[in-house]
Amino acid sequence: MMTQATLSLSQRWSPALAQEARETFYLLPEWLELVSRLYGYKLLPLGLRDEAGQLCGFLPLCLVENWPGSRRLVAFPFSDYCPLLADSPERAQVLLNQALALAVEYKASCLELRAGPCELLESKGSFVVSNLYVRWLLPLAEDAQTAWSRLRKPVQRQVRKASQSGVQVRLAERREDMLSYYQLHLRTRTKKHGLPAQPRRFFLELWETFAPSGRLRLWLAEYEGKPIAGMIFLAAGSTLRYAYGASHERYLQLAPNNLLMWQAIEDACGHGFRLLDLGRTACANQGLMEFKRRWGAEKVPLPYYYYPQQAGPVSTSEESRLYRLLTACWRRLPLSVSGPLGGLLYRYLG
């Protein structure tokens, strides 16, 4: 029987799904609620329960506006990877049928599923498959010494260089640290990538929701007492995920990002994490692909599926003329303008 899944920490998963659900941050009820509430999306979490009342199928959807009057149904906004979880092909089909029915009911122009490799969706000739992105996964060693020995020599040299140059790395402990990170993030998104940044409120709520339980780790790199780079990691089960990163371009020669990443890996090994998910990367972004490859991460396919047509911001190639034009224009904006304006526009980028 199809029901809306209960969004609470007391969710009971069937044994067949429990492990994957536990390791997938983007299925956490707190994440689903935060994103839908902050950006004003209608949350439509589809769930199937077995005779014991356990979830045997789950697909969280949000109704996202492209612009006023145009909608997409997305699983899940601002989430790189959101699998269609089901303990049998038949139940997966039930969830998919319900998602398609909701797309019709809400007059959505597109159903977008960020499910990663999925045999059911691959077999549907009616779905458009997009392979613009890949994931990078790094198995973690049981101890930091072994993890260090696995790093390539150039990476080790960059880590040492940052440390010897006087870069200091620390784990954030206060809400104000997130505000420092946001300033770096805004600058990086605007001046380097030419893209709108998430609103400041998003990062503050992310901190308040996940930092107290240790599921959010914010690492800051400082030079002469000034924050010059930062990385946010999100934890679920034994998986730690690199979610956001930012750095001041003036200090990149000090290699702060390398020291940050190593500190996060060292800490993760000490806390028993077994996998570091380095996140989604556009295949066109060869520089970022190489950075993740150098840490020993393995490239994993990350197909997205669209019905009846490919649409939405994440379906646009970074090599396209439109993408290059828009990013070139955004880079020209002063931070005092790009911050508030990006915060207003970001809900349309889900």
Side-chain angles (χ1 to χ4, degrees), residues 56-76:
C56 56
F58 187 60
L59 180 64
L61 294 161
C62 262
L63 196 61
V64 177
E65 283 189 282
N66 300 325
W67 55 80
S70 177
R71 302 169 168 177
R72 287 176 295 124
L73 199 57
V74 184
F76 193 76

Side-chain angles (χ1 to χ4, degrees), residues 158-227:
Q158 289 293 88
V159 172
R160 292 194 186 100
K161 174 185 177 180
S163 182
Q164 293 167 359
S165 298
V167 177
Q168 302 286 324
V169 171
R170 65 179 178 88
L171 184 63
E173 297 179 345
R174 303 178 301 160
R175 182 176 183 268
E176 289 73 20
D177 291 327
M178 184 61 86
L179 292 175
S180 297
Y181 172 80
Y182 168 74
Q183 293 302 320
L184 288 167
H185 188 87
L186 174 60
R187 184 181 187 90
T188 300
R189 292 281 292 182
T190 302
K191 299 305 179 183
K192 180 179 180 180
H193 300 299
L195 295 169
Q198 295 92 328
R200 187 178 75 157
R201 180 184 162 201
F202 168 76
F203 289 103
L204 292 177
E205 294 212 17
L206 197 67
W207 175 269
E208 292 164 0
T209 302
F210 297 107
S213 63
R215 285 182 292 182
L216 179 147
R217 285 168 163 79
L218 166 60
W219 292 94
L220 290 173
E222 297 174 336
Y223 182 69
E224 297 181 344
K226 176 182 178 180

